[in-house]
């Protein structure tokens, strides 16, 4: 009866293949979710669907998710937040965007929305669930501590509405 609710599964993502090992191993840190986000036992992140704004004829538009994931180092000397991710389907491609910390120590206190990764999932009218979609990080990531991941493979993304 007192078991915590499972993390949401509307959008599930682990950021990068080695990200959890770096945060929980090398940096002796942890992940925490709030406001509609949660962390799975494998340290992937789950977010809750906020709104689906897709054109039924083209599939273009935005899926908006809500929640905050905070990646913290030991003693919280560094905190990077990923807040309210979105999946943007456009004629030029599909992107995962999110408000992310503007510095390595800002956490959720100072964030800016950026394209984080390009997804290999073109707009598809009528599709409501995508599983394990390949993703590649954008050339510029913020905060600067994430730059080593730029232009590299991101963790696959599962999402729906």
């Amino acid at each position: 009866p007192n078991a915590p609710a499972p993390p949401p599964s509307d959008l599930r993502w682990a950021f990068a293949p080695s990200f959890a090992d770096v945060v929980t191993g090398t940096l002796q840190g942890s992940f925490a979710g709030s406001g509609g986000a949660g962390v799975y036992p494998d340290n992937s992140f789950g977010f809750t669907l906020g709104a689906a704004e897709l054109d039924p004829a083209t599939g273009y538009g935005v899926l908006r998710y809500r929640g905050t994931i905070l990646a913290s180092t030991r003693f919280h000397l560094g905190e990077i937040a990923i807040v309210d991710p979105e999946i943007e389907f456009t004629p030029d491609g599909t992107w995962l965007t999110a408000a992310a910390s503007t510095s390595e120590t800002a956490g959720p206190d100072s964030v800016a929305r950026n394209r984080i990764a390009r997804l290999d999932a073109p707009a598809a009218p009528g599709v409501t669930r995508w599983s394990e979609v390949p993703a590649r990080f954008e050339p510029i990531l913020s905060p600067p501590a994430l730059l080593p991941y730029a232009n590299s493979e991101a963790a696959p993304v599962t999402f729906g509405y």
Side-chain angles (χ1 to χ4, degrees), residues 26-65:
T26 306
L27 300 176
Q28 299 177 8
S30 62
F31 297 105
S34 64
V39 180
Y40 283 87
D42 67 357
N43 285 321
S44 63
F45 318 134
F47 294 89
T48 302
L49 180 68
E53 301 166 5
L54 299 179
D55 182 316
T58 64
Y60 298 140
V62 180
L63 297 175
R64 300 180 196 282
Y65 299 88

mmCIF file of all heavy atoms in Angstrom, residues 26-65:
data_model
loop_
_atom_site.group_PDB
_atom_site.id
_atom_site.type_symbol
_atom_site.label_atom_id
_atom_site.label_comp_id
_atom_site.label_asym_id
_atom_site.label_seq_id
_atom_site.Cartn_x
_atom_site.Cartn_y
_atom_site.Cartn_z
ATOM 1 N N THR A 26 31.130 7.212 -11.846
ATOM 2 C CA THR A 26 32.258 8.143 -11.815
ATOM 3 C C THR A 26 31.996 9.343 -10.906
ATOM 4 O O THR A 26 32.853 9.720 -10.107
ATOM 5 C CB THR A 26 32.557 8.650 -13.248
ATOM 6 O OG1 THR A 26 32.754 7.522 -14.102
ATOM 7 C CG2 THR A 26 33.781 9.537 -13.276
ATOM 8 N N LEU A 27 30.821 9.952 -11.020
ATOM 9 C CA LEU A 27 30.513 11.157 -10.246
ATOM 10 C C LEU A 27 29.843 10.865 -8.905
ATOM 11 O O LEU A 27 29.555 11.791 -8.147
ATOM 12 C CB LEU A 27 29.617 12.092 -11.067
ATOM 13 C CG LEU A 27 30.224 12.574 -12.390
ATOM 14 C CD1 LEU A 27 29.217 13.402 -13.173
ATOM 15 C CD2 LEU A 27 31.502 13.370 -12.140
ATOM 16 N N GLN A 28 29.588 9.592 -8.629
ATOM 17 C CA GLN A 28 28.964 9.150 -7.375
ATOM 18 C C GLN A 28 27.673 9.925 -7.095
ATOM 19 O O GLN A 28 27.385 10.286 -5.958
ATOM 20 C CB GLN A 28 29.940 9.291 -6.204
ATOM 21 C CG GLN A 28 31.189 8.470 -6.366
ATOM 22 C CD GLN A 28 32.169 8.694 -5.236
ATOM 23 O OE1 GLN A 28 31.884 9.352 -4.245
ATOM 24 N NE2 GLN A 28 33.348 8.125 -5.379
ATOM 25 N N GLY A 29 26.907 10.160 -8.156
ATOM 26 C CA GLY A 29 25.694 10.942 -8.024
ATOM 27 C C GLY A 29 24.439 10.118 -8.139
ATOM 28 O O GLY A 29 24.448 8.898 -7.938
ATOM 29 N N SER A 30 23.344 10.797 -8.484
ATOM 30 C CA SER A 30 22.052 10.126 -8.566
ATOM 31 C C SER A 30 21.120 10.917 -9.479
ATOM 32 O O SER A 30 21.434 12.023 -9.899
ATOM 33 C CB SER A 30 21.430 9.996 -7.172
ATOM 34 O OG SER A 30 21.198 11.300 -6.632
ATOM 35 N N PHE A 31 19.977 10.319 -9.738
ATOM 36 C CA PHE A 31 18.913 10.951 -10.507
ATOM 37 C C PHE A 31 17.677 11.063 -9.630
ATOM 38 O O PHE A 31 17.410 10.191 -8.809
ATOM 39 C CB PHE A 31 18.543 10.111 -11.736
ATOM 40 C CG PHE A 31 19.666 9.953 -12.719
ATOM 41 C CD1 PHE A 31 20.364 8.767 -12.814
ATOM 42 C CD2 PHE A 31 20.012 10.999 -13.563
ATOM 43 C CE1 PHE A 31 21.387 8.604 -13.736
ATOM 44 C CE2 PHE A 31 21.035 10.854 -14.483
ATOM 45 C CZ PHE A 31 21.725 9.656 -14.572
ATOM 46 N N ALA A 32 16.901 12.114 -9.843
ATOM 47 C CA ALA A 32 15.620 12.273 -9.156
ATOM 48 C C ALA A 32 14.622 12.860 -10.140
ATOM 49 O O ALA A 32 14.984 13.682 -10.988
ATOM 50 C CB ALA A 32 15.764 13.196 -7.947
ATOM 51 N N GLY A 33 13.382 12.434 -10.026
ATOM 52 C CA GLY A 33 12.325 12.952 -10.887
ATOM 53 C C GLY A 33 11.266 13.660 -10.061
ATOM 54 O O GLY A 33 11.024 13.306 -8.903
ATOM 55 N N SER A 34 10.631 14.671 -10.668
ATOM 56 C CA SER A 34 9.552 15.397 -9.989
ATOM 57 C C SER A 34 8.620 16.007 -11.028
ATOM 58 O O SER A 34 8.949 16.074 -12.213
ATOM 59 C CB SER A 34 10.131 16.495 -9.091
ATOM 60 O OG SER A 34 10.806 17.469 -9.867
ATOM 61 N N GLY A 35 7.461 16.443 -10.587
ATOM 62 C CA GLY A 35 6.541 17.183 -11.426
ATOM 63 C C GLY A 35 6.022 16.440 -12.642
ATOM 64 O O GLY A 35 5.750 17.049 -13.662
ATOM 65 N N GLY A 36 5.922 15.123 -12.552
ATOM 66 C CA GLY A 36 5.449 14.332 -13.680
ATOM 67 C C GLY A 36 6.528 13.469 -14.301
ATOM 68 O O GLY A 36 6.283 12.790 -15.294
ATOM 69 N N ALA A 37 7.728 13.493 -13.742
ATOM 70 C CA ALA A 37 8.823 12.654 -14.231
ATOM 71 C C ALA A 37 9.263 11.709 -13.133
ATOM 72 O O ALA A 37 9.082 11.980 -11.945
ATOM 73 C CB ALA A 37 10.002 13.510 -14.684
ATOM 74 N N GLY A 38 9.837 10.592 -13.537
ATOM 75 C CA GLY A 38 10.342 9.622 -12.580
ATOM 76 C C GLY A 38 11.538 8.890 -13.163
ATOM 77 O O GLY A 38 11.855 9.002 -14.346
ATOM 78 N N VAL A 39 12.203 8.119 -12.305
ATOM 79 C CA VAL A 39 13.402 7.395 -12.695
ATOM 80 C C VAL A 39 13.147 5.897 -12.529
ATOM 81 O O VAL A 39 12.682 5.452 -11.480
ATOM 82 C CB VAL A 39 14.609 7.833 -11.831
ATOM 83 C CG1 VAL A 39 15.866 7.084 -12.236
ATOM 84 C CG2 VAL A 39 14.815 9.341 -11.920
ATOM 85 N N TYR A 40 13.447 5.137 -13.575
ATOM 86 C CA TYR A 40 13.304 3.678 -13.545
ATOM 87 C C TYR A 40 14.513 3.052 -12.857
ATOM 88 O O TYR A 40 15.567 3.694 -12.736
ATOM 89 C CB TYR A 40 13.191 3.139 -14.973
ATOM 90 C CG TYR A 40 11.832 3.351 -15.582
ATOM 91 C CD1 TYR A 40 11.519 4.528 -16.246
ATOM 92 C CD2 TYR A 40 10.850 2.373 -15.492
ATOM 93 C CE1 TYR A 40 10.272 4.727 -16.806
ATOM 94 C CE2 TYR A 40 9.597 2.569 -16.043
ATOM 95 C CZ TYR A 40 9.312 3.738 -16.699
ATOM 96 O OH TYR A 40 8.073 3.939 -17.245
ATOM 97 N N PRO A 41 14.407 1.791 -12.411
ATOM 98 C CA PRO A 41 15.551 1.128 -11.765
ATOM 99 C C PRO A 41 16.813 1.087 -12.630
ATOM 100 O O PRO A 41 17.921 1.080 -12.101
ATOM 101 C CB PRO A 41 15.028 -0.289 -11.477
ATOM 102 C CG PRO A 41 13.544 -0.110 -11.327
ATOM 103 C CD PRO A 41 13.195 0.969 -12.332
ATOM 104 N N ASP A 42 16.657 1.100 -13.965
ATOM 105 C CA ASP A 42 17.834 1.107 -14.842
ATOM 106 C C ASP A 42 18.358 2.527 -15.096
ATOM 107 O O ASP A 42 19.230 2.733 -15.937
ATOM 108 C CB ASP A 42 17.525 0.416 -16.168
ATOM 109 C CG ASP A 42 16.503 1.173 -17.018
ATOM 110 O OD1 ASP A 42 15.971 2.220 -16.569
ATOM 111 O OD2 ASP A 42 16.227 0.715 -18.146
ATOM 112 N N ASN A 43 17.837 3.502 -14.367
ATOM 113 C CA ASN A 43 18.204 4.920 -14.466
ATOM 114 C C ASN A 43 17.787 5.565 -15.785
ATOM 115 O O ASN A 43 18.329 6.599 -16.172
ATOM 116 C CB ASN A 43 19.698 5.140 -14.202
ATOM 117 C CG ASN A 43 20.021 5.017 -12.734
ATOM 118 O OD1 ASN A 43 19.261 5.461 -11.883
ATOM 119 N ND2 ASN A 43 21.143 4.385 -12.423
ATOM 120 N N SER A 44 16.804 5.001 -16.465
ATOM 121 C CA SER A 44 16.187 5.725 -17.580
ATOM 122 C C SER A 44 15.090 6.604 -16.988
ATOM 123 O O SER A 44 14.653 6.400 -15.858
ATOM 124 C CB SER A 44 15.652 4.769 -18.643
ATOM 125 O OG SER A 44 14.632 3.943 -18.119
ATOM 126 N N PHE A 45 14.662 7.582 -17.760
ATOM 127 C CA PHE A 45 13.731 8.585 -17.266
ATOM 128 C C PHE A 45 12.361 8.404 -17.902
ATOM 129 O O PHE A 45 12.254 8.118 -19.083
ATOM 130 C CB PHE A 45 14.224 9.999 -17.589
ATOM 131 C CG PHE A 45 15.697 10.209 -17.388
ATOM 132 C CD1 PHE A 45 16.454 10.854 -18.349
ATOM 133 C CD2 PHE A 45 16.336 9.752 -16.252
ATOM 134 C CE1 PHE A 45 17.818 11.047 -18.176
ATOM 135 C CE2 PHE A 45 17.691 9.931 -16.063
ATOM 136 C CZ PHE A 45 18.448 10.584 -17.034
ATOM 137 N N GLY A 46 11.316 8.630 -17.125
ATOM 138 C CA GLY A 46 9.953 8.601 -17.639
ATOM 139 C C GLY A 46 9.293 9.947 -17.434
ATOM 140 O O GLY A 46 9.454 10.574 -16.379
ATOM 141 N N PHE A 47 8.561 10.400 -18.452
ATOM 142 C CA PHE A 47 7.854 11.677 -18.389
ATOM 143 C C PHE A 47 6.385 11.461 -18.720
ATOM 144 O O PHE A 47 6.026 10.544 -19.457
ATOM 145 C CB PHE A 47 8.443 12.675 -19.390
ATOM 146 C CG PHE A 47 9.855 13.091 -19.089
ATOM 147 C CD1 PHE A 47 10.921 12.362 -19.600
ATOM 148 C CD2 PHE A 47 10.116 14.193 -18.300
ATOM 149 C CE1 PHE A 47 12.227 12.737 -19.338
ATOM 150 C CE2 PHE A 47 11.425 14.579 -18.030
ATOM 151 C CZ PHE A 47 12.477 13.845 -18.543
ATOM 152 N N THR A 48 5.527 12.329 -18.201
ATOM 153 C CA THR A 48 4.081 12.260 -18.383
ATOM 154 C C THR A 48 3.660 13.129 -19.564
ATOM 155 O O THR A 48 4.127 14.265 -19.697
ATOM 156 C CB THR A 48 3.377 12.772 -17.107
ATOM 157 O OG1 THR A 48 3.809 11.979 -16.002
ATOM 158 C CG2 THR A 48 1.871 12.691 -17.231
ATOM 159 N N LEU A 49 2.752 12.608 -20.385
ATOM 160 C CA LEU A 49 2.228 13.389 -21.502
ATOM 161 C C LEU A 49 1.461 14.592 -20.982
ATOM 162 O O LEU A 49 0.615 14.474 -20.102
ATOM 163 C CB LEU A 49 1.314 12.529 -22.374
ATOM 164 C CG LEU A 49 0.705 13.236 -23.589
ATOM 165 C CD1 LEU A 49 1.785 13.576 -24.612
ATOM 166 C CD2 LEU A 49 -0.364 12.357 -24.220
ATOM 167 N N GLY A 50 1.761 15.769 -21.545
ATOM 168 C CA GLY A 50 1.029 16.980 -21.197
ATOM 169 C C GLY A 50 0.016 17.336 -22.263
ATOM 170 O O GLY A 50 -1.123 17.662 -21.962
ATOM 171 N N ALA A 51 0.425 17.253 -23.536
ATOM 172 C CA ALA A 51 -0.479 17.597 -24.637
ATOM 173 C C ALA A 51 0.053 17.010 -25.934
ATOM 174 O O ALA A 51 1.258 16.891 -26.123
ATOM 175 C CB ALA A 51 -0.601 19.120 -24.771
ATOM 176 N N ALA A 52 -0.874 16.664 -26.806
ATOM 177 C CA ALA A 52 -0.537 16.200 -28.153
ATOM 178 C C ALA A 52 -1.142 17.192 -29.136
ATOM 179 O O ALA A 52 -2.355 17.348 -29.190
ATOM 180 C CB ALA A 52 -1.086 14.797 -28.385
ATOM 181 N N GLU A 53 -0.288 17.864 -29.882
ATOM 182 C CA GLU A 53 -0.728 18.879 -30.837
ATOM 183 C C GLU A 53 -0.198 18.511 -32.213
ATOM 184 O O GLU A 53 0.725 19.145 -32.731
ATOM 185 C CB GLU A 53 -0.236 20.254 -30.393
ATOM 186 C CG GLU A 53 -0.744 20.637 -29.010
ATOM 187 C CD GLU A 53 -0.001 21.824 -28.406
ATOM 188 O OE1 GLU A 53 0.857 22.419 -29.089
ATOM 189 O OE2 GLU A 53 -0.277 22.141 -27.237
ATOM 190 N N LEU A 54 -0.757 17.442 -32.802
ATOM 191 C CA LEU A 54 -0.307 16.946 -34.103
ATOM 192 C C LEU A 54 -1.395 17.138 -35.148
ATOM 193 O O LEU A 54 -2.574 16.899 -34.874
ATOM 194 C CB LEU A 54 0.053 15.456 -34.014
ATOM 195 C CG LEU A 54 1.177 15.068 -33.055
ATOM 196 C CD1 LEU A 54 1.391 13.564 -33.074
ATOM 197 C CD2 LEU A 54 2.466 15.802 -33.404
ATOM 198 N N ASP A 55 -0.991 17.545 -36.347
ATOM 199 C CA ASP A 55 -1.924 17.674 -37.460
ATOM 200 C C ASP A 55 -2.298 16.266 -37.918
ATOM 201 O O ASP A 55 -1.419 15.479 -38.285
ATOM 202 C CB ASP A 55 -1.243 18.438 -38.593
ATOM 203 C CG ASP A 55 -2.147 18.657 -39.783
ATOM 204 O OD1 ASP A 55 -2.852 17.706 -40.199
ATOM 205 O OD2 ASP A 55 -2.133 19.767 -40.324
ATOM 206 N N PRO A 56 -3.587 15.900 -37.906
ATOM 207 C CA PRO A 56 -3.978 14.536 -38.265
ATOM 208 C C PRO A 56 -3.679 14.182 -39.718
ATOM 209 O O PRO A 56 -3.509 13.015 -40.046
ATOM 210 C CB PRO A 56 -5.477 14.486 -37.984
ATOM 211 C CG PRO A 56 -5.919 15.895 -37.863
ATOM 212 C CD PRO A 56 -4.725 16.721 -37.502
ATOM 213 N N ALA A 57 -3.562 15.181 -40.585
ATOM 214 C CA ALA A 57 -3.295 14.908 -41.996
ATOM 215 C C ALA A 57 -1.813 14.699 -42.288
ATOM 216 O O ALA A 57 -1.451 13.860 -43.112
ATOM 217 C CB ALA A 57 -3.833 16.051 -42.854
ATOM 218 N N THR A 58 -0.938 15.452 -41.596
ATOM 219 C CA THR A 58 0.497 15.389 -41.894
ATOM 220 C C THR A 58 1.321 14.702 -40.806
ATOM 221 O O THR A 58 2.423 14.234 -41.074
ATOM 222 C CB THR A 58 1.074 16.798 -42.074
ATOM 223 O OG1 THR A 58 0.966 17.509 -40.825
ATOM 224 C CG2 THR A 58 0.349 17.556 -43.182
ATOM 225 N N GLY A 59 0.809 14.697 -39.588
ATOM 226 C CA GLY A 59 1.578 14.178 -38.459
ATOM 227 C C GLY A 59 2.545 15.203 -37.895
ATOM 228 O O GLY A 59 3.222 14.943 -36.904
ATOM 229 N N TYR A 60 2.639 16.396 -38.504
ATOM 230 C CA TYR A 60 3.519 17.437 -37.992
ATOM 231 C C TYR A 60 2.905 18.069 -36.746
ATOM 232 O O TYR A 60 1.694 18.166 -36.613
ATOM 233 C CB TYR A 60 3.758 18.537 -39.036
ATOM 234 C CG TYR A 60 4.436 18.058 -40.294
ATOM 235 C CD1 TYR A 60 4.040 18.537 -41.527
ATOM 236 C CD2 TYR A 60 5.475 17.142 -40.245
ATOM 237 C CE1 TYR A 60 4.664 18.100 -42.696
ATOM 238 C CE2 TYR A 60 6.101 16.703 -41.393
ATOM 239 C CZ TYR A 60 5.686 17.183 -42.622
ATOM 240 O OH TYR A 60 6.300 16.760 -43.768
ATOM 241 N N GLY A 61 3.790 18.510 -35.862
ATOM 242 C CA GLY A 61 3.330 19.148 -34.635
ATOM 243 C C GLY A 61 4.219 18.768 -33.473
ATOM 244 O O GLY A 61 5.374 18.363 -33.655
ATOM 245 N N VAL A 62 3.656 18.877 -32.270
ATOM 246 C CA VAL A 62 4.449 18.704 -31.054
ATOM 247 C C VAL A 62 3.729 17.804 -30.063
ATOM 248 O O VAL A 62 2.527 17.946 -29.836
ATOM 249 C CB VAL A 62 4.726 20.073 -30.383
ATOM 250 C CG1 VAL A 62 5.554 19.905 -29.121
ATOM 251 C CG2 VAL A 62 5.419 21.021 -31.344
ATOM 252 N N LEU A 63 4.489 16.895 -29.469
ATOM 253 C CA LEU A 63 4.035 16.142 -28.300
ATOM 254 C C LEU A 63 4.749 16.759 -27.099
ATOM 255 O O LEU A 63 5.987 16.818 -27.071
ATOM 256 C CB LEU A 63 4.393 14.658 -28.413
ATOM 257 C CG LEU A 63 3.745 13.911 -29.571
ATOM 258 C CD1 LEU A 63 4.285 12.487 -29.650
ATOM 259 C CD2 LEU A 63 2.232 13.897 -29.421
ATOM 260 N N ARG A 64 3.980 17.250 -26.144
ATOM 261 C CA ARG A 64 4.554 17.924 -24.978
ATOM 262 C C ARG A 64 4.449 17.014 -23.754
ATOM 263 O O ARG A 64 3.366 16.513 -23.448
ATOM 264 C CB ARG A 64 3.826 19.237 -24.720
ATOM 265 C CG ARG A 64 3.892 20.205 -25.877
ATOM 266 C CD ARG A 64 3.153 21.513 -25.579
ATOM 267 N NE ARG A 64 2.900 22.267 -26.782
ATOM 268 C CZ ARG A 64 3.801 23.003 -27.414
ATOM 269 N NH1 ARG A 64 5.016 23.070 -26.935
ATOM 270 N NH2 ARG A 64 3.483 23.656 -28.518
ATOM 271 N N TYR A 65 5.563 16.851 -23.069
ATOM 272 C CA TYR A 65 5.616 16.045 -21.851
ATOM 273 C C TYR A 65 5.990 16.948 -20.692
ATOM 274 O O TYR A 65 6.560 18.020 -20.883
ATOM 275 C CB TYR A 65 6.642 14.914 -22.023
ATOM 276 C CG TYR A 65 6.271 13.996 -23.160
ATOM 277 C CD1 TYR A 65 6.688 14.258 -24.454
ATOM 278 C CD2 TYR A 65 5.440 12.905 -22.955
ATOM 279 C CE1 TYR A 65 6.319 13.444 -25.511
ATOM 280 C CE2 TYR A 65 5.062 12.078 -24.005
ATOM 281 C CZ TYR A 65 5.506 12.363 -25.278
ATOM 282 O OH TYR A 65 5.129 11.573 -26.329
#
